[in-house]
Amino acid sequence: MVSLDAKVLNHQSLNQQIKSAGEEIELDNVLGQRFIAAGVSDKSIEIHGTPGNALGAYLNGAVINVYGNAQDAVGDTMNSGQINVFGNIGDAAGYAMRGGRIFVLGNAGYRAGIHMKAYKEHIPVMIIGGKAGSFLGEYQAGGIIIVLGLSDDDSDIVSNFPCTGMHGGRMYLRSKCEGIHFPHQVTAKTADHEDIDDIRGYVTEFCEIFGYDAEEILDADFTVITPDSRNPYQQMYVAN
């Protein structure tokens, strides 16, 4: 494994060294450098510290483990690979991601999963272990978002305006979601056994990474949200 000390490196120098290093890389003293591992494939990267915005943007197959928090836009437009964050993440995680997985031990900020999409066998998956901020899954067009609500506070599992503009994909919230308002173009229902089986593999992998009991987590009430229409804005247009 190649070890790099990021303490005195700006984001350009750091990323140049990442691209020229071997397949296994350890980054120490990371503090706010942006675009770490952008577009990288076929590497395994351990990050100690707090990476800046757009960690793993356009990721193309690499595996990134962050032993700390991460800032905004984690996995922006990522194609494949996996990002595991052993802390919290900022806003707009998984923006327009079209493949791969983002697993977060803690909480997520606003607009996680915004514009997430899927194509054929490429199904992006985001699991948030804690809770999510407002506008979760905004304009979601595909993929799977799972929020487990493992935080200790008494707040709702998701904040205001979840699923706004959602027209594809699925969302699973480990909660009865009583009192949470969903927009009219989606359907929210209690997950049945088939719904739980659909996410069992993803949740099991999450638990193996972060040290939880998958069966205990899955043995709880989940709400599954799906769109009613593939074009929620159809009523805004007039056909000639």
Side-chain angles (χ1 to χ4, degrees):
M1 177 179 288
V2 176
S3 294
L4 300 175
D5 188 346
K7 187 173 183 179
V8 296
L9 298 175
N10 61 30
H11 75 277
Q12 291 177 322
S13 299
L14 179 57
N15 280 303
Q16 286 173 358
Q17 293 197 33
I18 289 171
K19 291 179 180 179
S20 62
E23 293 183 359
E24 296 186 359
I25 305 168
E26 181 180 41
L27 307 180
D28 292 316
N29 299 312
V30 173
L31 187 60
Q33 289 91 342
R34 297 169 292 161
F35 309 116
I36 292 177
V40 168
S41 58
D42 300 325
K43 290 182 185 287
S44 177
I45 303 172
E46 292 185 4
I47 298 176
H48 299 273
T50 304
N53 291 356
L55 167 71
Y58 304 101
L59 198 70
N60 207 27
V63 176
I64 302 173
N65 288 295
V66 180
Y67 297 99
N69 299 322
Q71 293 183 350
D72 298 342
V74 171
D76 183 345
T77 324
M78 67 184 288
N79 296 309
S80 61
Q82 184 150 333
I83 302 174
N84 303 315
V85 180
F86 288 73
N88 303 313
I89 54 174
D91 299 337
Y95 180 95
M97 70 181 293
R98 49 203 180 195
R101 298 177 186 179
I102 299 175
F103 290 171
V104 181
L105 177 59
N107 301 319
Y110 294 167
R111 290 188 162 89
I114 179 174
H115 287 299
M116 181 187 285
K117 60 199 71 176
Y119 179 69
K120 293 185 178 180
E121 73 276 9
H122 299 286
I123 301 175
V125 178
M126 178 185 297
I127 301 183
I128 299 164
K131 298 182 179 181
S134 298
F135 297 101
L136 175 68
E138 187 178 29
Y139 307 121
Q140 184 181 352
I144 298 171
I145 298 173
I146 303 169
V147 185
L148 299 177
L150 301 176
S151 302
D152 293 330
D153 64 83
D154 295 328
S155 62
D156 289 333
I157 194 168
V158 61
S159 192
N160 300 319
F161 313 114
C163 310
T164 301
M166 180 183 185
H167 56 284
R170 289 172 289 160
M171 183 183 296
Y172 296 81
L173 304 178
R174 187 171 173 265
S175 167
K176 292 182 179 180
C177 293
E178 296 173 348
I180 295 177
H181 174 73
F182 296 100
H184 69 275
Q185 79 267 17
V186 305
T187 296
K189 72 177 185 69
T190 300
D192 58 26
H193 292 296
E194 290 184 0
D195 295 319
I196 297 301
D197 284 342
D198 286 341
I199 62 171
R200 185 177 301 277
Y202 303 127
V203 174
T204 298
E205 184 180 358
F206 174 95
C207 291
E208 289 172 349
I209 292 169
F210 295 118
Y212 282 94
D213 185 324
E215 292 307 315
E216 181 178 344
I217 286 178
L218 291 169
D219 187 22
D221 292 311
F222 277 77
T223 300
V224 57
I225 302 97
T226 54
D228 279 340
S229 170
R230 292 185 178 275
N231 184 3
Y233 308 106
Q234 184 175 5
Q235 70 274 13
M236 299 175 63
Y237 300 93
V238 177
N240 293 323

